[in-house]
C-alpha cells in the first residue's frame, strides 16, 4: 500500500513538473516525453531495488550513472538539464520509499518549488545570454562593448570573443547582458518627406504643311 502511495505521488509530481511548469513555459513537446520516460523508468528500477539490502547504494549509483549520460541528439540549455535532474530525483525519491511518507512528500514538493521559483520568467527577466556576429573586426574591449550595447540595447556584463576574423572583417562574441530598451537607442528624427514632381504630358501636334 505504501508503495502505491509513493508511485501516485511521483506521477502527480512529474505531471506538475512537465505539464504545468516546463511545457507551459518552454513548449518543447519532445523533452516532455524524455522527462516522463526517465522519471517512470527510474521509479520502476528504484522501486524494484528498494526491497534489497543494497537498494540505497544501487539507487545512488543509478543516479550517478544517469547524471553522466551525454545527450547527443540535440543541444540542451541549462534549464532543460535542471529539469532532467529534477525528473530523475523525483523518480528516485519515490522509488526508494523514504519513511515517513511526509518526508518523501516534502522532498518532492521542495524540488517542485525550487523549479517553479528558479525558472519563473519574472526572476531576473532582463538578464540574457546571446551569441552575436558583428560585421566588423573589433578587438578593443571598449569599442566592442559600446557596439554590443548599441546592437543589443542593454548593459553588457561580459563579452568573450569566440572568433576574430580580420580577413572577412567579422567578430563572433558570446555576450551576457541585461536588456534595457533605453540603452543604445537614439531618438529618431522626423520622417523624411519625399516629394514627387509629376510633369504634365506634352502632346505633339503635327503642323500643317
Amino acid at each position: 500500500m505504501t508503495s502505491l502511495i509513493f508511485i501516485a505521488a511521483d506521477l502527480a509530481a512529474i505531471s506538475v513538473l512537465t505539464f504545468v511548469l516546463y511545457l507551459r513555459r518552454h513548449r518543447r513537446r519532445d523533452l516532455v516525453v524524455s522527462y516522463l520516460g526517465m522519471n517512470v523508468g527510474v521509479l520502476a528500477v528504484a522501486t524494484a531495488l528498494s526491497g534489497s539490502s543494497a537498494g540505497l547504494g544501487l539507487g545512488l549509483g543509478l543516479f550517478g550513472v544517469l547524471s553522466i549520460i551525454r545527450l547527443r541528439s540535440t543541444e540542451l540549455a541549462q534549464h532543460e538539464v535542471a529539469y532532467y535532474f529534477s525528473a530523475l530525483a523525483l523518480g528516485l525519491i519515490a522509488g526508494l520509499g523514504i519513511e515517513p511518507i511526509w518526508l518523501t512528500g516534502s522532498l518532492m514538493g521542495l524540488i517542485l518549488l525550487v523549479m517553479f521559483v528558479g525558472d519563473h520568467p519574472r526572476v531576473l527577466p532582463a538578464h540574457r545570454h546571446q551569441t552575436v556576429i558583428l560585421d566588423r573586426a573589433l578587438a578593443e574591449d571598449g569599442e566592442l562593448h559600446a557596439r554590443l550595447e548599441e546592437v543589443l540595447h542593454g548593459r553588457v556584463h561580459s563579452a568573450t570573443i569566440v572568433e576574430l576574423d580580420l580577413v572577412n572583417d567579422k567578430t563572433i562574441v558570446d555576450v551576457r547582458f541585461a536588456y534595457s530598451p533605453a540603452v543604445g537607442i537614439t531618438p529618431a528624427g522626423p520622417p523624411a518627406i519625399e516629394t514627387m514632381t509629376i510633369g504634365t504630358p506634352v502632346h505633339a501636334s503635327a503642323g500643317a504643311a
Side-chain angles (χ1 to χ4, degrees):
M1 184 64 183
T2 305
S3 298
L4 294 179
I5 295 176
F6 288 141
I7 293 174
D10 175 70
L11 294 178
I14 192 60
S15 297
V16 171
L17 182 72
T18 54
F19 296 109
V20 178
L21 298 182
Y22 180 77
L23 186 60
R24 291 181 62 184
R25 292 178 179 177
H26 304 288
R27 303 295 181 181
R28 283 196 62 177
R29 182 181 178 278
D30 56 332
L31 288 183
V32 170
V33 178
S34 298
Y35 296 149
L36 293 174
M38 174 180 289
N39 175 266
V40 175
V42 171
L43 172 67
V45 174
T47 301
L49 295 176
S50 62
S52 63
S53 58
L56 180 59
L58 290 177
L60 294 176
L62 176 64
F63 188 95
V65 169
L66 292 177
S67 66
I68 63 176
I69 293 178
R70 183 176 181 181
L71 305 172
R72 299 177 182 272
S73 58
T74 182
E75 183 178 355
L76 296 178
Q78 294 301 315
H79 69 274
E80 293 169 340
V81 175
Y83 276 99
Y84 261 110
F85 279 104
S86 298
L88 190 154
L90 289 174
L92 188 58
I93 291 173
L96 292 177
I98 303 173
E99 296 287 351
I101 297 178
W102 65 264
L103 179 59
T104 297
S106 299
L107 293 175
M108 298 173 74
L110 179 62
I111 293 174
L112 295 178
L113 178 62
V114 169
M115 293 303 297
F116 172 78
V117 175
D119 192 41
H120 199 281
R122 293 186 179 180
V123 177
L124 300 176
H127 289 255
R128 303 181 182 181
H129 178 215
Q130 186 74 43
T131 300
V132 180
I133 302 177
L134 300 176
D135 57 355
R136 293 171 55 194
L138 302 175
E140 198 273 322
D141 289 343
E143 186 179 5
L144 177 63
H145 283 217
R147 178 57 178 162
L148 289 171
E149 290 181 353
E150 179 185 357
V151 172
L152 299 173
H153 306 306
R155 298 294 182 186
V156 174
H157 295 311
S158 66
T160 303
I161 297 178
V162 178
E163 181 179 343
L164 182 63
D165 192 340
L166 300 177
V167 176
N168 298 315
D169 200 18
K170 179 178 66 174
T171 308
I172 302 177
V173 193
D174 185 77
V175 190
R176 297 185 184 276
F177 65 102
Y179 177 69
S180 176
V183 177
I185 299 179
T186 56
I193 301 177
E194 296 183 359
T195 60
M196 180 181 296
T197 303
I198 303 177
T200 304
V202 178
H203 299 279
S205 57

